Amino acid sequence: MKSYMCVICGWVYEEAEGLPDEGIKPGTRWEDIPKDFTCPECGATKDDFEMVEI
């Protein structure tokens, strides 16, 4: 499982945890998240995220 960080605000999406409050189940890969996903903290688009090692 990988982690992706918003380059605008630093919020991190972790594939292992998902985002259950947004309907994204734990284990959901970044590639499987809808293209219209936005950062829950700042509203940045999916293109504003980069893979990071945590």
Side-chain angles (χ1 to χ4, degrees):
M1 299 269 102
K2 299 175 183 172
S3 299
Y4 292 83
M5 183 178 72
C6 175
V7 297
I8 306 298
C9 73
W11 182 83
V12 176
Y13 171 74
E14 296 187 38
E15 291 180 335
E17 294 180 14
L19 199 55
D21 292 345
E22 302 289 328
I24 301 171
K25 297 178 182 177
T28 301
R29 296 182 328 176
W30 184 248
E31 300 84 37
D32 297 330
I33 291 179
K35 292 181 189 259
D36 63 352
F37 173 83
T38 58
C39 177
E41 291 292 318
C42 72
T45 66
K46 193 173 172 184
D47 290 336
D48 293 314
F49 281 76
E50 292 182 353
M51 186 176 65
V52 293
E53 289 191 34
I54 298 201

